Amino acid sequence: MTTDTTPLTLERMRADIAGMLGETPDVVGDDEHLMDLGLDSMRVLGLVLAWGNTGIPLEFGHLAEHTTLRAWWNVVQRLQGLTPA
């Protein structure tokens, strides 16, 4: 998983999720149910902590209510100010 402070991108998120699961990024589709792929709450917390290092105010609750990478990316874009709330 990446631990740098560069802006969070969709592809970085995909790669980090895949790394948590021990898979390649191509396994993590935009609309795959992440829990069905094996992501659990402890891994999500790890991702939140790592992605929080990018400077966005990401919290566990932001992601816990969504189940796909696409939904997570929409949350991140809002928090980065890239899309309207």
Side-chain angles (χ1 to χ4, degrees):
M1 181 169 42
T2 307
T3 58
D4 62 34
T5 58
T6 57
L8 195 53
T9 65
L10 177 62
E11 290 314 311
R12 176 178 167 188
M13 290 176 70
R14 185 184 320 280
D16 288 350
I17 292 166
M20 279 284 191
L21 298 172
E23 298 286 351
T24 59
D26 62 310
V27 169
V28 183
D30 290 352
D31 296 310
E32 291 287 333
H33 191 290
L34 297 172
M35 301 338 155
D36 288 349
L37 293 178
L39 203 62
D40 59 29
S41 60
M42 292 306 294
R43 290 179 173 146
V44 173
L45 183 56
L47 292 167
V48 167
L49 293 173
W51 295 340
N53 289 332
T54 65
I56 60 172
L58 186 63
E59 297 177 9
F60 179 82
H62 292 133
L63 302 184
E65 59 189 67
H66 304 286
T67 61
T68 66
L69 177 57
R70 182 184 313 275
W72 284 11
W73 177 237
N74 289 336
V75 168
V76 166
Q77 285 185 303
R78 276 194 307 275
L79 291 172
Q80 288 177 329
L82 299 176
T83 59

